[in-house]
Amino acid sequence: MKFTLYHSDFRESPGNCIYPHKVDVLGKHSLLQAVSHDYVCAEYKDGYRSNENFLGSDCLPVDCDNDHSDDPEAWVYPSDVANAFPGVAFAVHYSRNHMKEKGGKAPRPKFHVFFAIDRITDAAEYSRGSFPGAVNIPLDEF
């Protein structure tokens, strides 16, 4: 499995739009390198994140904040993703808010899942998730 992430020079900088550092994610070490800073899952012209500058992506990111339920029995874990997509390779990293109280909600698992996809260069198509291989699975399927 291989996909590409782009990271900034910052961490937790919401106003940042510059992601100049390309990381080919091939395993644990390169994933950790990319997610140790603020990152994006797409390439942008001159590294500047905006819809107009979208060049492409070979990664489908999925955030799992488990905010759909306060019942721990209903929460989704990476193992649930693996069971929902048998034989499909993916990478996971836990969110900075993993198992922390946030917005008055009890601590819960929060993580990001990355699926490698064929590179897509149409920003509208990518944001809609309407490309070959994209899936929309309701949480009750897990």
Side-chain angles (χ1 to χ4, degrees), residues 20-38:
H21 308 290
K22 178 181 178 179
V23 178
D24 291 325
V25 177
L26 303 169
K28 177 182 176 180
H29 296 292
S30 50
L31 176 62
L32 290 174
Q33 175 191 359
V35 302
S36 66
H37 296 81
D38 294 344

Side-chain angles (χ1 to χ4, degrees), residues 7-127:
H7 72 80
S8 72
D9 292 320
F10 307 101
R11 183 157 176 83
E12 299 181 33
S13 178
N16 177 56
C17 294
I18 307 291
Y19 299 88
H21 308 290
K22 178 181 178 179
V23 178
D24 291 325
V25 177
L26 303 169
K28 177 182 176 180
H29 296 292
S30 50
L31 176 62
L32 290 174
Q33 175 191 359
V35 302
S36 66
H37 296 81
D38 294 344
Y39 65 89
V40 293
C41 299
E43 179 181 16
Y44 296 93
K45 181 180 176 189
D46 298 323
Y48 189 88
R49 182 181 181 179
S50 73
N51 288 337
E52 297 78 31
N53 287 351
F54 181 87
L55 295 175
S57 178
D58 63 1
C59 173
L60 174 64
V62 179
D63 286 347
C64 184
D65 290 334
N66 279 307
D67 55 4
H68 65 284
S69 174
D70 288 327
D71 178 6
E73 295 295 318
W75 293 343
V76 176
Y77 295 85
S79 59
D80 297 314
V81 176
N83 290 333
F85 299 99
V88 176
F90 63 90
V92 171
H93 92 88
Y94 288 95
S95 164
R96 62 185 169 87
N97 290 307
H98 175 64
M99 300 309 291
K100 293 181 183 176
E101 182 180 334
K102 184 177 177 188
K105 293 196 174 254
R108 60 199 64 218
K110 296 180 180 120
F111 57 94
H112 307 277
V113 180
F114 304 100
F115 295 97
I117 60 171
D118 291 336
R119 184 171 169 86
I120 187 165
T121 58
D122 183 306
E125 189 177 14
Y126 181 71
S127 68

Side-chain angles (χ1 to χ4, degrees), residues 84 136-142:
N136 183 5
I137 297 180
L139 286 172
D140 60 3
E141 293 289 319
F142 284 105

